[in-house]
Amino acid sequence: MCGIVGYVGPKATVDVLIGGLRRLEYRGYDSAGVAVVADGQLETRKKAGKLVNLEHEIAEHPLPKAHIGIGHTRWATHGAPTDGNAHPHLGGPAQKLALIHNGIIENFAELKAELLAEGTNFASETDTEVAAHLIARAFEQSGDLKAAFASVMNRLHGAFTILVVHQDQPDVVLAARRNAPLVIGLGDGENFLGSDVAAFVEHTKRAVSVGQDEIVVLKADSVEVFGFDGTPVNFTEFEVNWDASAASKGGWPSFMAKEIADQPQAIADTLMGRVRADGRVVLDDIQQMSTEQIREIDRIIIVACGTASYAGDVAKYAIEKWARIPVQVELSHEFRYRNPIVTQNTLVLAISQSGETMDTLMAIRYAQELGAKVFAICNTQGATLARESDAVIYTHAGPEVAVASTKALTSQIVAGYMLALALAEARGAMTEDARLALGRELLQLPASVSEVLANIDQASALGTAHANAKSVLFLGRNVGYPIAMEGALKLKEIAYIHAEGFAAGELKHGPIALIEEGQPVIVIVPSPNDVDSLHPKVVSNIQEIRARGAKVIAIAEAGDETVSQYAESVIFVPKTDSIMAAVLDVIPLQAFALALSTAKGLDVDQPRNLAKSVTVE
Ligand code: M6R
């Protein structure tokens, strides 16, 4: 949830840290702070609120030129978002050590009691501060900072990425990770640490993903990695395939606006090299599993949270229809704690943009303990989910910075379609002609998404026009149902208004009582040519709610003129396969929420109370 950056090298350290924090601010924006060591002196600045407050603080009280430092942007867990609770936290009576932390130290209360009994003064209400005091105390006793750091890491329970600088060791940043992300950036005469590669991608593309329970000793000209027990660890580097400009707004008013517009490219990049011109899906990513093993799968459980779980819902429709494998979709946090039935023939598919969502990581670890194979759909190279899964289908959406997920969702859905078609081929579940036709349809999606975007003003205008709406309801059937829920989530998340997505057929079982005069309802209308004949049923649902006063906005397939008679507004999207329509239908909903939030004057990219990457359970 918090963003972490560290630097050792010749550059202006404060600029490197602030630049890194700017790219990581999506991870949390309750407060921000930095610590540097210059001329053997530790200096910190920290401020509640967004990064800009810290920048003002540094402008008023400049920091000295330094070549080593750490920076933090916070999503508050323990302690309110105040200046005092902002990181870095100082350790020891002489306050020579500064520490930043992402995660939760679960046994902080008992550690704090121990320190209080010894007379330690605490300056904050955080769980984090105990670690700073413990390391400072251990260093005073042993004179060995690395050993002191390791001994404390071994005492902490929970989830943490921790970075430390000490003014008596002004050439080294120490870092550790357990259950929270940490990546090293390798430079020439300089090195970096970050919660993800966005922290340093403008400086270097050579990266190393730090493993579980590992400690990093970072100096300007060397990087060493050790286990918590002190054993040296060999590491392999990877090349970051994002460029720095991908993580900037590039002239758009918000990251969300840019990321909505990025979708044709994100989908094309996700398809690239995986779907041949004749429509055959060649998913090398899952080669770890032989055709024989794929045939033995008797169930797929998809685990994910939030928007990613709606991508899972859409994937379920595709996998069941095309590959004929039973699929259940579970919110990761519910799956993990309900004693689910998982066997060696269960394939668990985890979907996560960040690859760091703690609920999803706990779910896959549990599934692995039960003997399941785990595949991941993930957007972030070097993420924990990617490291820990048996196979990864990377979405190539590029960095998604806005808290509200857009291009990650549509890329995840497309990855789910490709997986479904690859499974269908391995299991002989469809005729080759039908399978290849779907593969070719997939290749059309980037162009169809561009077409939707070319007409996006209509959805945006409707969003603006509903700026004063108290509530918006969304209805859909089949893949339109998870898309309805996604439309509602987008509105709750960035516009702070009541919104709910329903299966249209469920309405008459209760929710229709919510409909009163003037209630806006957005309805995802299936294709009139759909083989399952859902179209007339949804049209009937529209009539039922209109009869009770609803004002209907329909998302319908181009040419579906029947709907026009029953809706106040119709947004047409290009014709495609009925399951693939999910990708097109969701885009007007994204634009609607973006425009409505903007019209209310809200911060679209950094909505209140949220963080992009949810690394606590
Ligand atoms: O990084 P992940 O895909 O695992 O994140 C899962 C959810 O936290 C995320 O999709 C969240 O619901 C979005 N902010 C919704 O826009």
Side-chain angles (χ1 to χ4, degrees), residues 6-39:
Y7 178 68
V8 196
K11 294 197 171 105
T13 298
V14 176
D15 294 348
V16 173
L17 297 177
I18 296 291
L21 290 180
R22 193 168 295 122
R23 291 187 193 285
L24 293 182
E25 201 183 8
Y26 69 86
R27 298 180 63 88
Y29 31 84
D30 290 334
S31 66
V34 293
V36 298
V37 181
D39 301 325

mmCIF file of all heavy atoms in Angstrom, residues 6-39:
data_model
loop_
_atom_site.group_PDB
_atom_site.id
_atom_site.type_symbol
_atom_site.label_atom_id
_atom_site.label_comp_id
_atom_site.label_asym_id
_atom_site.label_seq_id
_atom_site.Cartn_x
_atom_site.Cartn_y
_atom_site.Cartn_z
ATOM 1 N N GLY A 6 14.586 3.936 -2.510
ATOM 2 C CA GLY A 6 15.898 4.122 -1.888
ATOM 3 C C GLY A 6 16.928 4.410 -2.962
ATOM 4 O O GLY A 6 16.777 3.969 -4.109
ATOM 5 N N TYR A 7 17.955 5.159 -2.605
ATOM 6 C CA TYR A 7 18.964 5.521 -3.619
ATOM 7 C C TYR A 7 20.336 5.673 -2.972
ATOM 8 O O TYR A 7 20.459 6.233 -1.878
ATOM 9 C CB TYR A 7 18.585 6.841 -4.294
ATOM 10 C CG TYR A 7 19.617 7.298 -5.312
ATOM 11 C CD1 TYR A 7 19.821 6.585 -6.491
ATOM 12 C CD2 TYR A 7 20.408 8.426 -5.075
ATOM 13 C CE1 TYR A 7 20.786 6.992 -7.420
ATOM 14 C CE2 TYR A 7 21.366 8.838 -5.994
ATOM 15 C CZ TYR A 7 21.543 8.108 -7.171
ATOM 16 O OH TYR A 7 22.490 8.491 -8.081
ATOM 17 N N VAL A 8 21.372 5.183 -3.668
ATOM 18 C CA VAL A 8 22.763 5.477 -3.334
ATOM 19 C C VAL A 8 23.466 5.790 -4.640
ATOM 20 O O VAL A 8 23.431 4.977 -5.574
ATOM 21 C CB VAL A 8 23.504 4.275 -2.701
ATOM 22 C CG1 VAL A 8 24.783 4.759 -2.017
ATOM 23 C CG2 VAL A 8 22.650 3.535 -1.718
ATOM 24 N N GLY A 9 24.090 6.950 -4.756
ATOM 25 C CA GLY A 9 24.787 7.285 -6.000
ATOM 26 C C GLY A 9 25.077 8.764 -6.103
ATOM 27 O O GLY A 9 24.790 9.533 -5.172
ATOM 28 N N PRO A 10 25.626 9.167 -7.243
ATOM 29 C CA PRO A 10 26.110 10.549 -7.371
ATOM 30 C C PRO A 10 25.024 11.584 -7.666
ATOM 31 O O PRO A 10 25.276 12.774 -7.557
ATOM 32 C CB PRO A 10 27.071 10.451 -8.567
ATOM 33 C CG PRO A 10 26.565 9.305 -9.381
ATOM 34 C CD PRO A 10 25.942 8.345 -8.422
ATOM 35 N N LYS A 11 23.836 11.141 -8.049
ATOM 36 C CA LYS A 11 22.806 12.117 -8.454
ATOM 37 C C LYS A 11 22.286 12.908 -7.243
ATOM 38 O O LYS A 11 22.510 12.519 -6.096
ATOM 39 C CB LYS A 11 21.624 11.393 -9.097
ATOM 40 C CG LYS A 11 21.968 10.730 -10.415
ATOM 41 C CD LYS A 11 20.717 10.407 -11.204
ATOM 42 C CE LYS A 11 21.090 9.952 -12.610
ATOM 43 N NZ LYS A 11 20.944 8.496 -12.763
ATOM 44 N N ALA A 12 21.560 13.980 -7.534
ATOM 45 C CA ALA A 12 20.927 14.767 -6.467
ATOM 46 C C ALA A 12 19.862 13.874 -5.822
ATOM 47 O O ALA A 12 18.792 13.627 -6.403
ATOM 48 C CB ALA A 12 20.308 16.022 -7.052
ATOM 49 N N THR A 13 20.163 13.385 -4.637
ATOM 50 C CA THR A 13 19.349 12.323 -4.036
ATOM 51 C C THR A 13 17.903 12.751 -3.795
ATOM 52 O O THR A 13 16.977 11.966 -4.034
ATOM 53 C CB THR A 13 20.016 11.864 -2.722
ATOM 54 O OG1 THR A 13 21.294 11.335 -3.082
ATOM 55 C CG2 THR A 13 19.223 10.810 -2.009
ATOM 56 N N VAL A 14 17.733 13.972 -3.338
ATOM 57 C CA VAL A 14 16.356 14.401 -3.039
ATOM 58 C C VAL A 14 15.513 14.347 -4.319
ATOM 59 O O VAL A 14 14.361 13.898 -4.301
ATOM 60 C CB VAL A 14 16.356 15.819 -2.416
ATOM 61 C CG1 VAL A 14 14.920 16.300 -2.196
ATOM 62 C CG2 VAL A 14 17.123 15.808 -1.107
ATOM 63 N N ASP A 15 16.102 14.760 -5.439
ATOM 64 C CA ASP A 15 15.352 14.735 -6.708
ATOM 65 C C ASP A 15 15.012 13.299 -7.108
ATOM 66 O O ASP A 15 13.905 13.015 -7.582
ATOM 67 C CB ASP A 15 16.170 15.382 -7.839
ATOM 68 C CG ASP A 15 16.376 16.867 -7.591
ATOM 69 O OD1 ASP A 15 15.703 17.402 -6.688
ATOM 70 O OD2 ASP A 15 17.213 17.476 -8.290
ATOM 71 N N VAL A 16 15.990 12.395 -6.932
ATOM 72 C CA VAL A 16 15.724 10.989 -7.280
ATOM 73 C C VAL A 16 14.594 10.446 -6.404
ATOM 74 O O VAL A 16 13.671 9.774 -6.884
ATOM 75 C CB VAL A 16 17.005 10.125 -7.113
ATOM 76 C CG1 VAL A 16 16.694 8.652 -7.315
ATOM 77 C CG2 VAL A 16 18.095 10.586 -8.064
ATOM 78 N N LEU A 17 14.662 10.782 -5.110
ATOM 79 C CA LEU A 17 13.635 10.251 -4.188
ATOM 80 C C LEU A 17 12.259 10.828 -4.507
ATOM 81 O O LEU A 17 11.270 10.091 -4.591
ATOM 82 C CB LEU A 17 14.006 10.578 -2.734
ATOM 83 C CG LEU A 17 15.310 9.954 -2.212
ATOM 84 C CD1 LEU A 17 15.579 10.425 -0.786
ATOM 85 C CD2 LEU A 17 15.252 8.426 -2.251
ATOM 86 N N ILE A 18 12.194 12.133 -4.714
ATOM 87 C CA ILE A 18 10.890 12.752 -4.998
ATOM 88 C C ILE A 18 10.349 12.248 -6.336
ATOM 89 O O ILE A 18 9.155 11.948 -6.471
ATOM 90 C CB ILE A 18 10.986 14.298 -4.986
ATOM 91 C CG1 ILE A 18 11.363 14.790 -3.582
ATOM 92 C CG2 ILE A 18 9.684 14.947 -5.476
ATOM 93 C CD1 ILE A 18 10.296 14.618 -2.517
ATOM 94 N N GLY A 19 11.239 12.119 -7.342
ATOM 95 C CA GLY A 19 10.815 11.591 -8.647
ATOM 96 C C GLY A 19 10.247 10.183 -8.488
ATOM 97 O O GLY A 19 9.201 9.837 -9.047
ATOM 98 N N GLY A 20 10.924 9.346 -7.696
ATOM 99 C CA GLY A 20 10.455 7.974 -7.459
ATOM 100 C C GLY A 20 9.125 7.970 -6.731
ATOM 101 O O GLY A 20 8.199 7.233 -7.077
ATOM 102 N N LEU A 21 9.010 8.850 -5.721
ATOM 103 C CA LEU A 21 7.750 8.892 -4.956
ATOM 104 C C LEU A 21 6.595 9.357 -5.831
ATOM 105 O O LEU A 21 5.465 8.905 -5.678
ATOM 106 C CB LEU A 21 7.893 9.822 -3.743
ATOM 107 C CG LEU A 21 8.816 9.310 -2.630
ATOM 108 C CD1 LEU A 21 8.868 10.310 -1.483
ATOM 109 C CD2 LEU A 21 8.354 7.946 -2.113
ATOM 110 N N ARG A 22 6.903 10.268 -6.755
ATOM 111 C CA ARG A 22 5.831 10.742 -7.638
ATOM 112 C C ARG A 22 5.268 9.567 -8.433
ATOM 113 O O ARG A 22 4.066 9.429 -8.619
ATOM 114 C CB ARG A 22 6.382 11.819 -8.573
ATOM 115 C CG ARG A 22 5.295 12.587 -9.294
ATOM 116 C CD ARG A 22 5.826 13.813 -9.989
ATOM 117 N NE ARG A 22 6.352 14.799 -9.063
ATOM 118 C CZ ARG A 22 7.608 15.274 -9.083
ATOM 119 N NH1 ARG A 22 8.466 14.853 -9.988
ATOM 120 N NH2 ARG A 22 8.011 16.163 -8.207
ATOM 121 N N ARG A 23 6.146 8.682 -8.865
ATOM 122 C CA ARG A 23 5.682 7.531 -9.661
ATOM 123 C C ARG A 23 5.035 6.458 -8.783
ATOM 124 O O ARG A 23 4.330 5.594 -9.277
ATOM 125 C CB ARG A 23 6.851 6.931 -10.423
ATOM 126 C CG ARG A 23 7.348 7.837 -11.516
ATOM 127 C CD ARG A 23 8.391 7.131 -12.358
ATOM 128 N NE ARG A 23 9.080 8.089 -13.203
ATOM 129 C CZ ARG A 23 8.558 8.643 -14.288
ATOM 130 N NH1 ARG A 23 7.336 8.320 -14.651
ATOM 131 N NH2 ARG A 23 9.244 9.510 -14.996
ATOM 132 N N LEU A 24 5.338 6.520 -7.491
ATOM 133 C CA LEU A 24 4.764 5.506 -6.586
ATOM 134 C C LEU A 24 3.582 6.048 -5.795
ATOM 135 O O LEU A 24 2.999 5.328 -4.986
ATOM 136 C CB LEU A 24 5.832 5.033 -5.586
ATOM 137 C CG LEU A 24 7.004 4.245 -6.145
ATOM 138 C CD1 LEU A 24 7.928 3.822 -5.009
ATOM 139 C CD2 LEU A 24 6.538 3.008 -6.903
ATOM 140 N N GLU A 25 3.245 7.316 -6.007
ATOM 141 C CA GLU A 25 2.232 7.935 -5.141
ATOM 142 C C GLU A 25 0.891 7.209 -5.244
ATOM 143 O O GLU A 25 0.079 7.240 -4.317
ATOM 144 C CB GLU A 25 2.074 9.425 -5.469
ATOM 145 C CG GLU A 25 1.441 10.184 -4.302
ATOM 146 C CD GLU A 25 1.186 11.650 -4.595
ATOM 147 O OE1 GLU A 25 1.347 12.082 -5.741
ATOM 148 O OE2 GLU A 25 0.801 12.361 -3.648
ATOM 149 N N TYR A 26 0.685 6.524 -6.397
ATOM 150 C CA TYR A 26 -0.569 5.794 -6.552
ATOM 151 C C TYR A 26 -0.727 4.738 -5.461
ATOM 152 O O TYR A 26 -1.815 4.276 -5.164
ATOM 153 C CB TYR A 26 -0.635 5.137 -7.945
ATOM 154 C CG TYR A 26 0.339 4.003 -8.132
ATOM 155 C CD1 TYR A 26 0.011 2.717 -7.746
ATOM 156 C CD2 TYR A 26 1.599 4.217 -8.694
ATOM 157 C CE1 TYR A 26 0.893 1.672 -7.904
ATOM 158 C CE2 TYR A 26 2.485 3.184 -8.861
ATOM 159 C CZ TYR A 26 2.138 1.909 -8.462
ATOM 160 O OH TYR A 26 3.024 0.894 -8.614
ATOM 161 N N ARG A 27 0.375 4.339 -4.828
ATOM 162 C CA ARG A 27 0.314 3.270 -3.835
ATOM 163 C C ARG A 27 -0.234 3.750 -2.489
ATOM 164 O O ARG A 27 -0.580 2.947 -1.629
ATOM 165 C CB ARG A 27 1.706 2.673 -3.612
ATOM 166 C CG ARG A 27 2.292 2.051 -4.854
ATOM 167 C CD ARG A 27 3.657 1.497 -4.558
ATOM 168 N NE ARG A 27 3.587 0.433 -3.591
ATOM 169 C CZ ARG A 27 3.390 -0.844 -3.871
ATOM 170 N NH1 ARG A 27 3.249 -1.215 -5.119
ATOM 171 N NH2 ARG A 27 3.350 -1.753 -2.927
ATOM 172 N N GLY A 28 -0.252 5.068 -2.284
ATOM 173 C CA GLY A 28 -0.733 5.616 -1.026
ATOM 174 C C GLY A 28 -0.419 7.089 -1.017
ATOM 175 O O GLY A 28 0.640 7.475 -1.503
ATOM 176 N N TYR A 29 -1.333 7.894 -0.471
ATOM 177 C CA TYR A 29 -1.091 9.332 -0.535
ATOM 178 C C TYR A 29 -1.602 10.031 0.712
ATOM 179 O O TYR A 29 -2.124 11.129 0.656
ATOM 180 C CB TYR A 29 -1.669 9.934 -1.830
ATOM 181 C CG TYR A 29 -2.916 9.224 -2.347
ATOM 182 C CD1 TYR A 29 -4.171 9.540 -1.842
ATOM 183 C CD2 TYR A 29 -2.811 8.232 -3.304
ATOM 184 C CE1 TYR A 29 -5.305 8.891 -2.305
ATOM 185 C CE2 TYR A 29 -3.945 7.559 -3.769
ATOM 186 C CZ TYR A 29 -5.188 7.895 -3.266
ATOM 187 O OH TYR A 29 -6.303 7.244 -3.713
ATOM 188 N N ASP A 30 -1.472 9.343 1.861
ATOM 189 C CA ASP A 30 -1.886 9.953 3.128
ATOM 190 C C ASP A 30 -0.797 10.848 3.708
ATOM 191 O O ASP A 30 -1.082 11.775 4.461
ATOM 192 C CB ASP A 30 -2.205 8.861 4.157
ATOM 193 C CG ASP A 30 -3.474 8.120 3.803
ATOM 194 O OD1 ASP A 30 -4.331 8.705 3.115
ATOM 195 O OD2 ASP A 30 -3.607 6.947 4.205
ATOM 196 N N SER A 31 0.471 10.539 3.418
ATOM 197 C CA SER A 31 1.586 11.379 3.857
ATOM 198 C C SER A 31 2.811 10.933 3.065
ATOM 199 O O SER A 31 2.792 9.889 2.412
ATOM 200 C CB SER A 31 1.853 11.217 5.360
ATOM 201 O OG SER A 31 2.298 9.910 5.646
ATOM 202 N N ALA A 32 3.872 11.738 3.145
ATOM 203 C CA ALA A 32 5.109 11.366 2.441
ATOM 204 C C ALA A 32 6.292 11.906 3.231
ATOM 205 O O ALA A 32 6.164 12.889 3.981
ATOM 206 C CB ALA A 32 5.110 11.937 1.022
ATOM 207 N N GLY A 33 7.445 11.259 3.062
ATOM 208 C CA GLY A 33 8.631 11.719 3.773
ATOM 209 C C GLY A 33 9.903 11.177 3.155
ATOM 210 O O GLY A 33 9.873 10.185 2.423
ATOM 211 N N VAL A 34 11.009 11.856 3.444
ATOM 212 C CA VAL A 34 12.318 11.384 2.970
ATOM 213 C C VAL A 34 13.334 11.526 4.099
ATOM 214 O O VAL A 34 13.165 12.348 5.005
ATOM 215 C CB VAL A 34 12.832 12.187 1.739
ATOM 216 C CG1 VAL A 34 11.977 11.938 0.516
ATOM 217 C CG2 VAL A 34 12.922 13.667 2.029
ATOM 218 N N ALA A 35 14.402 10.730 4.016
ATOM 219 C CA ALA A 35 15.558 10.888 4.904
ATOM 220 C C ALA A 35 16.806 10.799 4.051
ATOM 221 O O ALA A 35 16.874 9.956 3.151
ATOM 222 C CB ALA A 35 15.577 9.785 5.961
ATOM 223 N N VAL A 36 17.778 11.671 4.295
ATOM 224 C CA VAL A 36 19.067 11.599 3.591
ATOM 225 C C VAL A 36 20.176 11.685 4.636
ATOM 226 O O VAL A 36 19.968 12.194 5.748
ATOM 227 C CB VAL A 36 19.236 12.752 2.556
ATOM 228 C CG1 VAL A 36 18.180 12.681 1.470
ATOM 229 C CG2 VAL A 36 19.222 14.122 3.224
ATOM 230 N N VAL A 37 21.346 11.161 4.252
ATOM 231 C CA VAL A 37 22.526 11.341 5.097
ATOM 232 C C VAL A 37 23.506 12.191 4.307
ATOM 233 O O VAL A 37 23.881 11.830 3.184
ATOM 234 C CB VAL A 37 23.170 9.994 5.481
ATOM 235 C CG1 VAL A 37 24.386 10.239 6.378
ATOM 236 C CG2 VAL A 37 22.161 9.092 6.175
ATOM 237 N N ALA A 38 23.879 13.350 4.860
ATOM 238 C CA ALA A 38 24.831 14.240 4.186
ATOM 239 C C ALA A 38 25.837 14.715 5.223
ATOM 240 O O ALA A 38 25.452 15.127 6.321
ATOM 241 C CB ALA A 38 24.101 15.441 3.578
ATOM 242 N N ASP A 39 27.100 14.613 4.876
ATOM 243 C CA ASP A 39 28.179 15.018 5.797
ATOM 244 C C ASP A 39 28.013 14.370 7.171
ATOM 245 O O ASP A 39 28.124 15.029 8.209
ATOM 246 C CB ASP A 39 28.213 16.550 5.955
ATOM 247 C CG ASP A 39 28.426 17.225 4.606
ATOM 248 O OD1 ASP A 39 29.170 16.655 3.772
ATOM 249 O OD2 ASP A 39 27.812 18.289 4.379
#
